[in-house]
Amino acid sequence: MSSELLGVVHRAFAGSMKTMVRYCGGTVEEQDGILMYATPSPSAFPWNGAVRTTPGVPTDRIVERASSYFGRLGHAYSLVAMTGLDDDLIETLGPGEISPEMVIDSAPNRVELPIGARIGRVVSEESRDAFIAVVGEAFETLGEARETWALCYPTVESLSNPDSVATVAYEDDWPAAAGMYYRSGDVIEVLHVGTHSSFRRRGYGRAVTTALTIHGFEQGARISSLQAEPMGYKTYERIGYRTVADFHVYTNH
């Protein structure tokens, strides 16, 4: 992928974080090419962090601004960087925690759901509760506190609004998997795809990711992007996502 398109994807991530903050009662400070955003969650990535939005902003200025901003808030936070755009930051800070940055530029093939399964949009308190229950259980295995989800998605509108779409997959009316995307311009950022431990290895993660991706393209997106967790990487590849860069996360407590 060209550096121009990498920049589009990286800016879309920043836009997604601003949308998240807008609906969860968080705070944003953006100046001199640095975006800093904070949510009610005490955790770092992706809830609280700093992103360079303008090339050339010196590394030490980013670190200093982020340290001051989150020091005032008393929050853990993360600095994020992408190879091909933030190589100087990566060289200064080291590799950090690395995830593949993956993209797809056309709608994938639809996935057949298991018998008795369906995917629905989050449009009610009941479906919001189902979303929070599924991702809370799924991501707890990765170390995320369950209470984070209710804090960061306090209302139906925080999950379903002009810039966000959230879905839940049900098996015989039991919430089995969930996920969402944020839209920034003509790029969607797929995230929070998780499957409840009772329903894993049945294709739900692939079905939810595929449904979200297709919906995004139907709504006019030209690129869908995500940062892949190790457990989801092969699934995203099967859908048609390809790795275009490394996404580096530097957590500060």
Side-chain angles (χ1 to χ4, degrees):
M1 181 177 280
S2 69
S3 58
E4 179 182 355
L5 286 178
L6 279 179
V8 168
V9 170
H10 204 39
R11 286 191 296 275
F13 171 81
S16 298
M17 298 301 98
K18 286 192 285 187
T19 297
M20 178 174 66
V21 168
R22 185 186 317 147
Y23 289 97
C24 76
T27 62
V28 169
E29 182 176 304
E30 186 172 10
Q31 60 179 341
D32 300 330
I34 307 168
L35 168 69
M36 291 168 291
Y37 56 92
T39 74
S41 172
S43 300
F45 184 80
W47 316 104
N48 299 282
V51 184
R52 176 165 58 185
T53 55
T54 300
V57 177
T59 297
D60 58 352
R61 187 179 303 169
I62 299 170
V63 172
E64 179 184 348
R65 288 278 180 83
S67 177
S68 174
Y69 180 73
F70 288 101
R72 296 196 303 270
L73 296 176
H75 269 230
Y77 68 96
S78 56
L79 300 175
V80 300
M82 187 184 296
T83 54
L85 294 176
D86 301 307
D87 294 339
D88 57 333
L89 187 61
I90 295 166
E91 182 178 356
T92 299
L93 299 179
E97 183 178 343
I98 301 173
S99 299
E101 179 74 30
M102 305 184 79
V103 304
I104 188 171
D105 57 11
S106 61
N109 296 325
R110 296 186 183 275
V111 173
E112 186 175 345
L113 292 169
I115 295 174
R118 63 183 175 87
I119 296 178
R121 292 273 302 274
V122 174
V123 294
S124 66
E125 288 294 343
E126 183 180 9
S127 53
R128 170 189 166 268
D129 290 346
F131 178 93
I132 288 173
V134 169
V135 295
E137 195 273 349
F139 283 89
E140 190 172 42
T141 60
L142 297 176
E144 184 59 73
R146 289 200 185 198
E147 59 266 26
T148 281
W149 307 95
L151 288 171
C152 291
Y153 298 109
T155 63
V156 174
E157 188 183 26
S158 64
L159 288 166
S160 292
N161 56 66
D163 299 311
S164 308
V165 171
T167 60
V168 179
Y170 300 86
E171 183 174 299
D172 296 327
D173 293 328
W174 287 95
M180 68 181 297
Y181 73 70
Y182 288 106
R183 178 166 180 160
S184 182
D186 55 7
V187 180
I188 63 169
E189 175 86 15
V190 176
L191 72 171
H192 304 332
V193 176
T195 303
H196 192 282
S197 58
S198 300
F199 297 93
R200 289 177 184 164
R201 301 189 182 280
R202 302 186 197 180
Y204 281 111
R206 181 178 180 182
V208 167
T209 305
T210 299
L212 286 166
T213 305
I214 290 173
H215 185 274
F217 280 104
E218 289 176 343
Q219 298 303 306
R222 68 183 181 94
I223 297 173
S224 177
S225 64
L226 55 83
Q227 293 86 43
E229 297 285 354
M231 68 179 67
Y233 180 78
K234 291 296 183 183
T235 295
Y236 301 136
E237 273 197 325
R238 287 195 292 271
I239 293 170
Y241 282 85
R242 67 188 190 279
T243 301
V244 294
D246 286 332
F247 190 85
H248 297 246
V249 177
Y250 305 93
T251 300
N252 297 267
H253 297 281

